[in-house]
PDB file of all heavy atoms in Angstrom:
ATOM      1  N   ASP A  18      22.253  27.476 -14.875  1.00  0.00           N
ATOM      2  CA  ASP A  18      22.447  26.025 -14.864  1.00  0.00           C
ATOM      3  C   ASP A  18      21.933  25.419 -13.565  1.00  0.00           C
ATOM      4  O   ASP A  18      21.357  24.321 -13.556  1.00  0.00           O
ATOM      5  CB  ASP A  18      23.935  25.700 -15.039  1.00  0.00           C
ATOM      6  CG  ASP A  18      24.428  26.020 -16.445  1.00  0.00           C
ATOM      7  OD1 ASP A  18      23.554  26.161 -17.355  1.00  0.00           O
ATOM      8  OD2 ASP A  18      25.646  26.112 -16.613  1.00  0.00           O
ATOM      9  N   HIS A  24      15.194  22.416 -11.473  1.00  0.00           N
ATOM     10  CA  HIS A  24      13.932  22.159 -12.168  1.00  0.00           C
ATOM     11  C   HIS A  24      13.833  20.704 -12.605  1.00  0.00           C
ATOM     12  O   HIS A  24      12.799  20.056 -12.437  1.00  0.00           O
ATOM     13  CB  HIS A  24      13.821  23.080 -13.383  1.00  0.00           C
ATOM     14  CG  HIS A  24      12.613  22.801 -14.229  1.00  0.00           C
ATOM     15  ND1 HIS A  24      11.330  23.090 -13.818  1.00  0.00           N
ATOM     16  CD2 HIS A  24      12.504  22.219 -15.460  1.00  0.00           C
ATOM     17  CE1 HIS A  24      10.468  22.725 -14.755  1.00  0.00           C
ATOM     18  NE2 HIS A  24      11.158  22.197 -15.753  1.00  0.00           N
ATOM     19  N   VAL A  25      14.942  20.186 -13.143  1.00  0.00           N
ATOM     20  CA  VAL A  25      14.956  18.784 -13.575  1.00  0.00           C
ATOM     21  C   VAL A  25      14.795  17.859 -12.387  1.00  0.00           C
ATOM     22  O   VAL A  25      14.059  16.871 -12.417  1.00  0.00           O
ATOM     23  CB  VAL A  25      16.261  18.472 -14.336  1.00  0.00           C
ATOM     24  CG1 VAL A  25      16.378  16.981 -14.596  1.00  0.00           C
ATOM     25  CG2 VAL A  25      16.295  19.248 -15.654  1.00  0.00           C
ATOM     26  N   ARG A  28      11.265  17.907 -11.280  1.00  0.00           N
ATOM     27  CA  ARG A  28      10.410  17.229 -12.244  1.00  0.00           C
ATOM     28  C   ARG A  28      10.521  15.714 -12.117  1.00  0.00           C
ATOM     29  O   ARG A  28       9.557  14.982 -12.262  1.00  0.00           O
ATOM     30  CB  ARG A  28      10.809  17.664 -13.662  1.00  0.00           C
ATOM     31  CG  ARG A  28       9.941  17.068 -14.759  1.00  0.00           C
ATOM     32  CD  ARG A  28      10.461  17.483 -16.119  1.00  0.00           C
ATOM     33  NE  ARG A  28      11.812  16.965 -16.316  1.00  0.00           N
ATOM     34  CZ  ARG A  28      12.610  17.358 -17.309  1.00  0.00           C
ATOM     35  NH1 ARG A  28      12.229  18.307 -18.153  1.00  0.00           N
ATOM     36  NH2 ARG A  28      13.818  16.835 -17.436  1.00  0.00           N
ATOM     37  N   ASP A  50     -15.263  -9.103   1.057  1.00  0.00           N
ATOM     38  CA  ASP A  50     -15.653 -10.513   1.054  1.00  0.00           C
ATOM     39  C   ASP A  50     -16.668 -10.786   2.149  1.00  0.00           C
ATOM     40  O   ASP A  50     -17.680 -11.470   1.941  1.00  0.00           O
ATOM     41  CB  ASP A  50     -14.405 -11.378   1.247  1.00  0.00           C
ATOM     42  CG  ASP A  50     -14.680 -12.853   0.978  1.00  0.00           C
ATOM     43  OD1 ASP A  50     -15.764 -13.176   0.455  1.00  0.00           O
ATOM     44  OD2 ASP A  50     -13.803 -13.685   1.278  1.00  0.00           O
ATOM     45  N   ALA A  67     -37.945 -16.594   6.188  1.00  0.00           N
ATOM     46  CA  ALA A  67     -37.539 -16.894   7.559  1.00  0.00           C
ATOM     47  C   ALA A  67     -37.830 -15.698   8.460  1.00  0.00           C
ATOM     48  O   ALA A  67     -37.920 -14.557   8.009  1.00  0.00           O
ATOM     49  CB  ALA A  67     -36.059 -17.237   7.607  1.00  0.00           C
ATOM     50  N   GLY A  83     -17.259 -17.478   8.587  1.00  0.00           N
ATOM     51  CA  GLY A  83     -16.434 -16.903   7.535  1.00  0.00           C
ATOM     52  C   GLY A  83     -15.137 -16.327   8.059  1.00  0.00           C
ATOM     53  O   GLY A  83     -14.078 -16.491   7.444  1.00  0.00           O
ATOM     54  N   PHE A  85     -13.439 -17.138  10.858  1.00  0.00           N
ATOM     55  CA  PHE A  85     -12.519 -18.200  11.253  1.00  0.00           C
ATOM     56  C   PHE A  85     -11.975 -18.950  10.036  1.00  0.00           C
ATOM     57  O   PHE A  85     -10.800 -19.329  10.000  1.00  0.00           O
ATOM     58  CB  PHE A  85     -13.218 -19.171  12.211  1.00  0.00           C
ATOM     59  CG  PHE A  85     -13.291 -18.671  13.614  1.00  0.00           C
ATOM     60  CD1 PHE A  85     -14.511 -18.326  14.185  1.00  0.00           C
ATOM     61  CD2 PHE A  85     -12.143 -18.541  14.380  1.00  0.00           C
ATOM     62  CE1 PHE A  85     -14.583 -17.850  15.486  1.00  0.00           C
ATOM     63  CE2 PHE A  85     -12.203 -18.065  15.688  1.00  0.00           C
ATOM     64  CZ  PHE A  85     -13.428 -17.719  16.239  1.00  0.00           C
ATOM     65  N   TYR A  92      -3.727 -18.174   7.350  1.00  0.00           N
ATOM     66  CA  TYR A  92      -2.582 -18.635   8.142  1.00  0.00           C
ATOM     67  C   TYR A  92      -1.877 -19.792   7.443  1.00  0.00           C
ATOM     68  O   TYR A  92      -0.649 -19.802   7.306  1.00  0.00           O
ATOM     69  CB  TYR A  92      -3.041 -19.067   9.532  1.00  0.00           C
ATOM     70  CG  TYR A  92      -1.889 -19.467  10.439  1.00  0.00           C
ATOM     71  CD1 TYR A  92      -1.285 -18.533  11.272  1.00  0.00           C
ATOM     72  CD2 TYR A  92      -1.409 -20.773  10.448  1.00  0.00           C
ATOM     73  CE1 TYR A  92      -0.221 -18.883  12.093  1.00  0.00           C
ATOM     74  CE2 TYR A  92      -0.340 -21.130  11.259  1.00  0.00           C
ATOM     75  CZ  TYR A  92       0.245 -20.192  12.077  1.00  0.00           C
ATOM     76  OH  TYR A  92       1.307 -20.545  12.872  1.00  0.00           O
ATOM     77  N   GLN A  98       3.722 -20.774   2.349  1.00  0.00           N
ATOM     78  CA  GLN A  98       4.572 -19.971   1.473  1.00  0.00           C
ATOM     79  C   GLN A  98       5.891 -19.623   2.162  1.00  0.00           C
ATOM     80  O   GLN A  98       6.963 -19.695   1.551  1.00  0.00           O
ATOM     81  CB  GLN A  98       3.845 -18.691   1.074  1.00  0.00           C
ATOM     82  CG  GLN A  98       4.660 -17.785   0.158  1.00  0.00           C
ATOM     83  CD  GLN A  98       3.965 -16.458  -0.106  1.00  0.00           C
ATOM     84  OE1 GLN A  98       2.966 -16.142   0.537  1.00  0.00           O
ATOM     85  NE2 GLN A  98       4.483 -15.689  -1.035  1.00  0.00           N
ATOM     86  N   ALA A 104      12.925 -22.820   2.890  1.00  0.00           N
ATOM     87  CA  ALA A 104      13.607 -23.996   2.356  1.00  0.00           C
ATOM     88  C   ALA A 104      14.510 -23.607   1.182  1.00  0.00           C
ATOM     89  O   ALA A 104      15.646 -24.086   1.063  1.00  0.00           O
ATOM     90  CB  ALA A 104      12.581 -25.045   1.915  1.00  0.00           C
ATOM     91  N   LEU A 106      15.799 -20.645   0.715  1.00  0.00           N
ATOM     92  CA  LEU A 106      16.906 -19.868   1.271  1.00  0.00           C
ATOM     93  C   LEU A 106      17.984 -20.782   1.856  1.00  0.00           C
ATOM     94  O   LEU A 106      19.185 -20.480   1.754  1.00  0.00           O
ATOM     95  CB  LEU A 106      16.393 -18.915   2.343  1.00  0.00           C
ATOM     96  CG  LEU A 106      15.573 -17.727   1.856  1.00  0.00           C
ATOM     97  CD1 LEU A 106      15.035 -16.930   3.045  1.00  0.00           C
ATOM     98  CD2 LEU A 106      16.406 -16.815   0.953  1.00  0.00           C
ATOM     99  N   LYS A 118      32.680 -19.390  -5.204  1.00  0.00           N
ATOM    100  CA  LYS A 118      33.142 -18.845  -6.475  1.00  0.00           C
ATOM    101  C   LYS A 118      32.099 -19.021  -7.575  1.00  0.00           C
ATOM    102  O   LYS A 118      31.889 -18.116  -8.399  1.00  0.00           O
ATOM    103  CB  LYS A 118      34.449 -19.520  -6.886  1.00  0.00           C
ATOM    104  CG  LYS A 118      35.617 -19.186  -5.970  1.00  0.00           C
ATOM    105  CD  LYS A 118      35.912 -17.689  -5.980  1.00  0.00           C
ATOM    106  CE  LYS A 118      37.107 -17.342  -5.102  1.00  0.00           C
ATOM    107  NZ  LYS A 118      37.358 -15.864  -5.084  1.00  0.00           N
ATOM    108  N   GLN A 144      32.725  -7.822  -4.677  1.00  0.00           N
ATOM    109  CA  GLN A 144      32.608  -6.975  -3.488  1.00  0.00           C
ATOM    110  C   GLN A 144      31.373  -7.326  -2.672  1.00  0.00           C
ATOM    111  O   GLN A 144      31.426  -7.381  -1.438  1.00  0.00           O
ATOM    112  CB  GLN A 144      32.582  -5.506  -3.911  1.00  0.00           C
ATOM    113  CG  GLN A 144      32.594  -4.541  -2.733  1.00  0.00           C
ATOM    114  CD  GLN A 144      32.764  -3.103  -3.176  1.00  0.00           C
ATOM    115  OE1 GLN A 144      32.932  -2.829  -4.356  1.00  0.00           O
ATOM    116  NE2 GLN A 144      32.720  -2.175  -2.240  1.00  0.00           N
ATOM    117  N   ALA A 157      18.919 -14.025  -3.165  1.00  0.00           N
ATOM    118  CA  ALA A 157      17.489 -14.270  -2.972  1.00  0.00           C
ATOM    119  C   ALA A 157      16.654 -13.276  -3.772  1.00  0.00           C
ATOM    120  O   ALA A 157      15.642 -13.635  -4.383  1.00  0.00           O
ATOM    121  CB  ALA A 157      17.139 -14.190  -1.491  1.00  0.00           C
ATOM    122  N   ARG A 158      17.067 -12.021  -3.776  1.00  0.00           N
ATOM    123  CA  ARG A 158      16.328 -11.010  -4.528  1.00  0.00           C
ATOM    124  C   ARG A 158      16.462 -11.218  -6.029  1.00  0.00           C
ATOM    125  O   ARG A 158      15.490 -11.085  -6.779  1.00  0.00           O
ATOM    126  CB  ARG A 158      16.823  -9.613  -4.147  1.00  0.00           C
ATOM    127  CG  ARG A 158      16.391  -9.166  -2.757  1.00  0.00           C
ATOM    128  CD  ARG A 158      16.946  -7.796  -2.434  1.00  0.00           C
ATOM    129  NE  ARG A 158      16.450  -7.305  -1.149  1.00  0.00           N
ATOM    130  CZ  ARG A 158      16.865  -6.189  -0.573  1.00  0.00           C
ATOM    131  NH1 ARG A 158      17.781  -5.448  -1.166  1.00  0.00           N
ATOM    132  NH2 ARG A 158      16.356  -5.811   0.588  1.00  0.00           N
ATOM    133  N   ALA A 186     -18.575  -8.353   7.501  1.00  0.00           N
ATOM    134  CA  ALA A 186     -19.744  -9.207   7.711  1.00  0.00           C
ATOM    135  C   ALA A 186     -20.673  -8.647   8.781  1.00  0.00           C
ATOM    136  O   ALA A 186     -21.865  -8.992   8.822  1.00  0.00           O
ATOM    137  CB  ALA A 186     -19.295 -10.614   8.098  1.00  0.00           C
ATOM    138  N   LEU A 200     -35.610  -6.069   6.415  1.00  0.00           N
ATOM    139  CA  LEU A 200     -34.355  -6.393   5.746  1.00  0.00           C
ATOM    140  C   LEU A 200     -33.711  -5.176   5.090  1.00  0.00           C
ATOM    141  O   LEU A 200     -32.482  -5.090   5.001  1.00  0.00           O
ATOM    142  CB  LEU A 200     -34.601  -7.481   4.690  1.00  0.00           C
ATOM    143  CG  LEU A 200     -33.383  -7.942   3.885  1.00  0.00           C
ATOM    144  CD1 LEU A 200     -32.351  -8.602   4.788  1.00  0.00           C
ATOM    145  CD2 LEU A 200     -33.818  -8.899   2.771  1.00  0.00           C
ATOM    146  N   LEU A 211     -20.185  -1.473   0.678  1.00  0.00           N
ATOM    147  CA  LEU A 211     -19.554  -1.963  -0.539  1.00  0.00           C
ATOM    148  C   LEU A 211     -19.071  -0.814  -1.413  1.00  0.00           C
ATOM    149  O   LEU A 211     -17.979  -0.862  -1.992  1.00  0.00           O
ATOM    150  CB  LEU A 211     -20.541  -2.831  -1.325  1.00  0.00           C
ATOM    151  CG  LEU A 211     -20.794  -4.222  -0.749  1.00  0.00           C
ATOM    152  CD1 LEU A 211     -21.978  -4.888  -1.450  1.00  0.00           C
ATOM    153  CD2 LEU A 211     -19.546  -5.088  -0.894  1.00  0.00           C
ATOM    154  N   ALA A 219      -9.799   2.173  -5.076  1.00  0.00           N
ATOM    155  CA  ALA A 219      -9.293   3.046  -6.144  1.00  0.00           C
ATOM    156  C   ALA A 219      -7.929   3.634  -5.795  1.00  0.00           C
ATOM    157  O   ALA A 219      -7.202   4.083  -6.682  1.00  0.00           O
ATOM    158  CB  ALA A 219     -10.295   4.167  -6.418  1.00  0.00           C
ATOM    159  N   THR A 222      -5.504   1.383  -7.554  1.00  0.00           N
ATOM    160  CA  THR A 222      -5.785   1.115  -8.965  1.00  0.00           C
ATOM    161  C   THR A 222      -5.776   2.434  -9.712  1.00  0.00           C
ATOM    162  O   THR A 222      -5.646   3.504  -9.134  1.00  0.00           O
ATOM    163  CB  THR A 222      -7.161   0.435  -9.148  1.00  0.00           C
ATOM    164  OG1 THR A 222      -8.196   1.368  -8.784  1.00  0.00           O
ATOM    165  CG2 THR A 222      -7.272  -0.811  -8.294  1.00  0.00           C
ATOM    166  N   ARG A 224      -8.393   3.386 -11.481  1.00  0.00           N
ATOM    167  CA  ARG A 224      -9.792   3.770 -11.669  1.00  0.00           C
ATOM    168  C   ARG A 224     -10.173   4.937 -10.769  1.00  0.00           C
ATOM    169  O   ARG A 224      -9.556   5.167  -9.731  1.00  0.00           O
ATOM    170  CB  ARG A 224     -10.710   2.577 -11.364  1.00  0.00           C
ATOM    171  CG  ARG A 224     -10.533   1.390 -12.291  1.00  0.00           C
ATOM    172  CD  ARG A 224     -11.054   1.702 -13.675  1.00  0.00           C
ATOM    173  NE  ARG A 224     -11.013   0.520 -14.534  1.00  0.00           N
ATOM    174  CZ  ARG A 224     -11.373   0.530 -15.815  1.00  0.00           C
ATOM    175  NH1 ARG A 224     -11.808   1.639 -16.376  1.00  0.00           N
ATOM    176  NH2 ARG A 224     -11.314  -0.578 -16.540  1.00  0.00           N
ATOM    177  N   TRP A 226     -12.627   6.863  -8.054  1.00  0.00           N
ATOM    178  CA  TRP A 226     -13.254   6.320  -6.849  1.00  0.00           C
ATOM    179  C   TRP A 226     -14.713   5.987  -7.067  1.00  0.00           C
ATOM    180  O   TRP A 226     -15.216   4.975  -6.559  1.00  0.00           O
ATOM    181  CB  TRP A 226     -13.106   7.316  -5.700  1.00  0.00           C
ATOM    182  CG  TRP A 226     -13.815   8.619  -5.913  1.00  0.00           C
ATOM    183  CD1 TRP A 226     -13.320   9.735  -6.496  1.00  0.00           C
ATOM    184  CD2 TRP A 226     -15.176   8.916  -5.558  1.00  0.00           C
ATOM    185  NE1 TRP A 226     -14.265  10.728  -6.530  1.00  0.00           N
ATOM    186  CE2 TRP A 226     -15.414  10.260  -5.958  1.00  0.00           C
ATOM    187  CE3 TRP A 226     -16.204   8.206  -4.944  1.00  0.00           C
ATOM    188  CZ2 TRP A 226     -16.641  10.875  -5.769  1.00  0.00           C
ATOM    189  CZ3 TRP A 226     -17.429   8.830  -4.746  1.00  0.00           C
ATOM    190  CH2 TRP A 226     -17.644  10.148  -5.152  1.00  0.00           C
ATOM    191  N   ALA A 240     -25.268 -10.100  -6.272  1.00  0.00           N
ATOM    192  CA  ALA A 240     -25.140 -11.331  -5.484  1.00  0.00           C
ATOM    193  C   ALA A 240     -26.275 -11.452  -4.477  1.00  0.00           C
ATOM    194  O   ALA A 240     -26.863 -12.536  -4.298  1.00  0.00           O
ATOM    195  CB  ALA A 240     -23.794 -11.352  -4.768  1.00  0.00           C
ATOM    196  N   LEU A 247     -33.089 -17.075  -5.087  1.00  0.00           N
ATOM    197  CA  LEU A 247     -32.911 -18.510  -4.837  1.00  0.00           C
ATOM    198  C   LEU A 247     -33.541 -18.914  -3.505  1.00  0.00           C
ATOM    199  O   LEU A 247     -34.151 -19.992  -3.397  1.00  0.00           O
ATOM    200  CB  LEU A 247     -31.421 -18.857  -4.824  1.00  0.00           C
ATOM    201  CG  LEU A 247     -30.688 -18.797  -6.184  1.00  0.00           C
ATOM    202  CD1 LEU A 247     -29.199 -19.010  -6.002  1.00  0.00           C
ATOM    203  CD2 LEU A 247     -31.275 -19.863  -7.131  1.00  0.00           C
TER     204      LEU A 247
END
Side-chain angles (χ1 to χ4, degrees):
D18 290 342
H24 175 71
V25 171
R28 183 183 62 192
D50 192 11
F85 280 112
Y92 184 92
Q98 180 186 10
L106 289 175
K118 293 299 182 182
Q144 185 172 357
R158 288 178 175 174
L200 180 64
L211 286 169
T222 67
R224 297 290 186 182
W226 64 270
L247 290 174

